[in-house]
Amino acid sequence: VQNHQYQPLDVNAYEYHHAQRRTLKLMVLNFYRRKEILLEEHSEGDLSSATTKVNRSKMKRAVSRKLLPCWKVFDASESAGRKISRVVNKGSPKEQMGIVHRDSELI
């Protein structure tokens, strides 16, 4: 994307004339200044509801991270349950319902 308002500038000329990079200390806004800026365009209720949504999302992600190792065990137990039911019921659930016939060519 090119800005048509100004003529293209040589890279060396840009590097020579552009401002120094600001330090992290200069870029930090404290809580009250950041809130003041947000309140110029949003209401207190909007900020409160957005904060609530963010906190809920953080909590859900934390729960997911904590339970991730358990999901593998849960999947393995489900798979084992299906295998056991096939052995006990002598075939897959589809075969028992008559959808798949072992003796015929139709599957």
Side-chain angles (χ1 to χ4, degrees), residues 55-70:
N55 289 337
R56 281 188 187 142
S57 296
K58 283 181 180 180
M59 185 186 66
K60 288 178 182 180
R61 283 195 304 271
V63 168
S64 294
R65 280 194 304 269
K66 291 288 183 188
L67 295 179
L68 190 60
C70 298

Side-chain angles (χ1 to χ4, degrees), residues 4-37:
H4 296 287
Q5 191 174 8
Y6 300 105
Q7 292 295 321
L9 192 61
D10 182 44
V11 173
N12 292 328
Y14 170 78
E15 290 291 334
Y16 181 75
H17 293 290
H18 83 284
Q20 288 285 330
R21 183 181 170 100
R22 291 188 293 167
T23 63
L24 186 61
K25 188 175 182 178
L26 291 174
M27 290 190 286
V28 171
L29 289 175
N30 70 18
F31 170 79
Y32 298 104
R33 179 65 182 129
R34 200 167 40 249
K35 188 172 181 179
E36 182 181 308
I37 292 170

